[in-house]
Amino acid sequence: MDELLTRGVEDIIGREELEAALASGRKLRIKFGVDPTRPDIHLGHAVVLHQLRQLQERGHTIIFLVGDYTTKIGDPSGKSKTRPVLEDDEILANAQTYLDQVGQILDVKKAEIRRNSEWLGQLDFAGLVKLAGQVSVAQIIEREDFKNRLATGQELALHELLYPLIQAYDSVMLEADVEFGGTDQLFNMMTGRALQKKLGQRPQVVWTAKLLVGLDGVKKMSKSLDNYIAITDEPLDMYGKVMSVPDNLIAPYYELCTQIPQGVITELVKTLAEGANPRDSKASLAREIVRQYHGEAAALKAEEDWNKQFRDGGRPDHIEEYTVSSAHLPLVDLLVESGLASSKSEARRLIEQGGVRLDDTVQTPEAEAVWADHQILQVGKRRYLKLRVK
């Protein structure tokens, strides 16, 4: 069978319909929707995007749907509580960033870029009530996460119950033949298949991709869990994050995050089982992932710098310079102003945990700040700044 229909695929609902369509040469409208909750596209998203690129190269139309309207509702998939709603300007900024990043994998010029505010923004209350009449409450609360929250007495807001219906309506408006998503989106996509059929359309094939486990080695890669590798991460940071992946995820990352032939991956699994050093396989994986998004030269440089820092105990050759506004600026303020910490509370936590060094000396909360030119400020294992003082 075509590797496209097996590699990285969890399930295909309507496989016979899909295979018949592909065999007939019919060009398909393939939907992939993303809610721009945060500005980064990560390797978990890229699993699906690479599959879509293969279909795009075969002449099918990829519909990249930006859920600028559904983001206001918030998909509760896998969540134990209601997700915060973003402001319009934040949604728009994230959406533009998404589109810029998608172009690294898909040919955006050949894709159909849509926003569901096109139709959802025009849907009045009467239209919503009519649409809601197509799906029963019993159907919606069959969702596993909804059932769990109801059973444990956790809050389940009424607007969350509308999310599967609204996502299904997107499929109707786009006349989607196929919808792609992770296994966590199965219920929503199946609702789309059912709604299309009820409204007289050909029901979409539901194509679920395997979920990529995040850096914690436990939960799916997720921006909200901060266990992700963004495709825009700097080469050294991306390389280092891949090197931190648990050993048991080496093979799944090769399968889902690279285009290396499956036969090669099978042989890799065999050698690991026979006692091969997982570090070598992980280094090859990190180099390949960085190469995909930054090029061969950047991948080799990232590997060289990483080895120098973590294997050989050195520093990277190039360290960004930062001008300090005052020689006596408190360390907490410097960490925040320079971007090495997102807030003063995070800065204090980093210092208290021994994660901040000045010229290789661990800084303490009591340390007096007196900055000078050419000092090296380090946070964690990978972030450095060379200081200059006004």
Side-chain angles (χ1 to χ4, degrees), residues 70-338:
T70 39
T71 299
K72 298 178 183 180
I73 301 174
D75 180 11
S77 293
K79 308 295 189 301
S80 60
K81 59 183 179 181
T82 303
R83 190 174 71 183
V85 177
L86 303 184
E87 298 296 328
D88 286 348
D89 58 348
E90 190 174 3
I91 293 172
L92 291 174
N94 289 350
Q96 185 55 56
T97 304
Y98 267 48
L99 293 177
D100 293 341
Q101 294 175 39
V102 166
Q104 294 190 42
I105 301 174
L106 289 178
D107 186 338
V108 176
K109 293 180 180 178
K110 294 181 180 179
E112 186 175 317
I113 309 298
R114 305 292 294 271
R115 293 174 171 79
N116 59 14
S117 58
E118 295 173 31
W119 47 89
L120 296 178
Q122 307 301 316
L123 188 64
D124 59 16
F125 187 72
L128 178 60
V129 170
K130 183 178 179 180
L131 184 63
Q134 303 298 320
V135 181
S136 72
V137 172
Q139 284 177 277
I140 297 297
I141 62 175
E142 275 300 303
R143 246 178 68 157
E144 197 64 32
D145 50 350
F146 286 169
K147 285 195 296 185
N148 291 340
R149 285 164 65 180
L150 288 171
T152 55
Q154 298 178 69
E155 181 177 290
L156 180 60
L158 182 58
H159 74 280
E160 294 182 272
L161 298 178
L162 295 175
Y163 190 92
L165 173 66
I166 296 303
Q167 186 172 352
Y169 187 55
D170 290 344
S171 294
V172 172
M173 296 304 295
L174 293 171
E175 297 184 341
D177 295 307
V178 183
E179 181 170 9
F180 266 72
T183 55
D184 57 333
Q185 291 294 316
L186 178 60
F187 183 93
N188 295 339
M189 294 190 291
M190 290 299 292
T191 303
R193 180 175 166 91
L195 185 63
Q196 284 179 307
K197 185 175 182 180
K198 196 160 189 177
L199 295 179
Q201 287 188 7
R202 189 199 324 255
Q204 66 185 13
V205 171
V206 172
W207 185 318
T208 57
K210 293 179 181 177
L211 292 180
L212 184 67
V213 176
L215 299 177
D216 56 4
V218 178
K219 296 182 179 180
K220 72 169 185 174
M221 186 170 286
S222 167
K223 291 172 289 184
S224 61
L225 295 175
D226 279 326
N227 65 350
Y228 69 102
I229 304 172
I231 67 172
T232 54
D233 279 341
E234 292 298 318
L236 178 58
D237 200 28
M238 180 179 284
Y239 189 98
K241 287 180 179 179
V242 177
M243 291 300 291
S244 73
V245 168
D247 292 348
N248 65 309
L249 294 181
I250 294 174
Y253 268 62
Y254 266 105
E255 178 189 1
L256 300 178
C257 302
T258 78
Q259 304 304 304
I260 291 173
Q262 189 64 51
V264 175
I265 298 173
T266 300
E267 187 61 30
L268 167 72
V269 172
K270 180 181 176 182
T271 59
L272 286 172
E274 292 172 349
N277 187 347
R279 186 198 175 283
D280 296 337
S281 298
K282 203 180 296 184
S284 297
L285 172 65
R287 189 170 58 248
E288 174 60 19
I289 290 176
V290 176
R291 185 199 63 76
Q292 284 188 129
Y293 299 102
H294 296 286
E296 184 70 26
L300 293 174
K301 184 65 168 59
E303 183 169 58
E304 178 185 347
D305 287 347
W306 191 90
N307 285 337
K308 185 178 293 185
Q309 289 182 60
F310 304 110
R311 188 184 67 187
D312 306 329
R315 291 175 180 161
D317 292 332
H318 174 73
I319 299 177
E320 180 183 350
E321 292 190 353
Y322 183 79
T323 301
V324 185
S325 58
S326 167
H328 298 282
L329 182 70
L331 176 57
V332 167
D333 293 334
L334 174 57
L335 292 176
V336 174
E337 290 182 11
S338 65

Side-chain angles (χ1 to χ4, degrees), residues 317-324 372-377 384-388:
D317 292 332
H318 174 73
I319 299 177
E320 180 183 350
E321 292 190 353
Y322 183 79
T323 301
V324 185
D373 287 345
H374 309 303
Q375 288 177 320
I376 303 297
L377 183 64
Y384 293 84
L385 285 180
K386 181 183 292 184
L387 301 182
R388 289 193 177 278

Side-chain angles (χ1 to χ4, degrees), residues 339-352:
L340 290 175
S342 60
S343 65
K344 288 188 176 182
S345 60
E346 183 189 10
R348 293 188 190 96
R349 178 178 57 78
L350 289 168
I351 297 168
E352 290 168 358

